Amino acid sequence: KKKEEVLEKASSSSRAKNQKKMYAFIVTICVVLLGAIIGSIAFVQYQNNNSYDYQVKMAEEELIDKNYEKALEHYEKALEITPKDIPVRLAMASICEAQGKTDEAMVLYMDVIHLSPENVVAYEKLIALYDKDGQYDKVIELSNGVESKSVMALFDDYLVSEPVVYPDEGFYASYVTVTMLSMEDCDIYYTLDGTEPDKENGILYEEDEGIEI
């Protein structure tokens, strides 16, 4: 009987040891699997954070719900990956316009123009913003240095040629009546003291009267 008890105790001890080994094995497997899952998630997140396509896709999804700030965050990450990207800057500028951030939109459009001097969309958008704010001098300034005909055509409504003046500049023995003609049928302003004429300090030219000097 004692021998049977000893054998039974030995068997129970063996089963307990096997159970502990099995438990340890299962725990080890779980830890390994958990580590693999966490590693996989971290790797995917790393790839997404460094993926231009992913960031743009996420930005576009945020735009559907008009989550402008989150969309801008994703576009900014996309720019970190591809610093000279044009479409992302245009998209960001449009968002800024939608938010009423005109100055920020102007900066982005100007960035696009510096990166792509013949980008018609950027010029068109920037001209529209200047026009809306009445910054016509900025429109004229923007036209300086433009070489593209398609871009230059955007300034047709803002650029005018100098008026035709008769008689020609010179010295005359008697008083003369000076006449001026705008080829674009625009208002003409002039001064008599040599200063640059504009709407503020200039005199509006009356075509029917001319200028007697």
Side-chain angles (χ1 to χ4, degrees):
K1 187 174 181 181
K2 288 183 178 180
K3 184 177 180 181
E4 292 176 354
E5 290 178 353
V6 170
L7 290 173
E8 186 176 347
K9 288 181 180 179
S11 177
S12 297
S13 176
S14 177
R15 283 198 301 270
K17 288 181 180 180
N18 289 335
Q19 287 177 348
K20 287 182 179 179
K21 289 181 180 179
M22 182 61 68
Y23 176 75
F25 176 75
I26 292 173
V27 170
T28 302
I29 293 297
C30 289
V31 170
V32 171
L33 287 175
L34 182 60
I37 292 172
I38 293 174
S40 298
I41 293 174
F43 179 71
V44 171
Q45 287 180 335
Y46 174 81
Q47 281 192 317
N48 288 339
N49 287 334
N50 292 275
S51 168
Y52 169 87
D53 291 335
Y54 174 80
Q55 295 299 338
V56 170
K57 178 184 176 182
M58 293 302 297
E60 291 172 347
E61 289 181 2
E62 295 293 354
L63 282 177
I64 294 174
D65 296 325
K66 296 185 178 181
N67 295 326
Y68 296 133
E69 290 302 327
K70 290 185 178 180
L72 284 173
E73 289 177 7
H74 286 292
Y75 279 136
E76 286 169 359
K77 288 181 180 178
L79 274 187
E80 291 176 5
I81 299 167
T82 312
K84 295 185 178 181
D85 191 79
I86 301 298
V88 166
R89 280 184 169 81
L90 291 175
M92 291 176 68
S94 295
I95 293 174
C96 289
E97 282 195 69
Q99 292 179 307
K101 299 177 180 178
T102 303
D103 290 341
E104 294 182 25
M106 288 179 177
V107 170
L108 286 164
Y109 286 133
M110 190 61 77
D111 285 346
V112 172
I113 290 172
H114 287 155
L115 292 170
S116 178
E118 296 186 3
N119 193 292
V120 175
V121 174
Y123 272 103
E124 190 173 27
K125 295 287 188 178
L126 190 53
I127 289 172
L129 290 177
Y130 284 149
D131 184 281
K132 185 177 180 180
D133 286 350
Q135 300 185 54
Y136 303 114
D137 56 332
K138 290 288 187 180
V139 177
I140 305 302
E141 183 180 336
L142 186 63
S143 69
N144 295 333
V146 173
E147 298 179 358
S148 168
K149 291 182 179 180
S150 56
V151 172
M152 202 62 196
L154 300 173
F155 296 92
D156 286 346
D157 292 336
Y158 302 93
L159 301 178
V160 295
S161 56
E162 293 186 359
V164 177
V165 180
Y166 179 83
D168 294 335
E169 180 180 359
F171 295 95
Y172 295 89
S174 60
Y175 291 104
V176 296
T177 299
V178 177
T179 59
M180 293 185 286
L181 174 66
S182 168
M183 302 304 293
E184 291 85 8
D185 196 27
C186 298
D187 290 337
I188 301 174
Y189 289 85
Y190 67 94
T191 60
L192 299 174
D193 58 4
T195 58
E196 189 73 20
D198 56 30
K199 288 185 177 181
E200 304 300 326
N201 71 331
I203 304 169
L204 179 62
Y205 173 73
E206 300 291 345
E207 186 176 353
D208 296 336
E209 298 178 7
I211 308 170
E212 188 172 330
I213 56 176

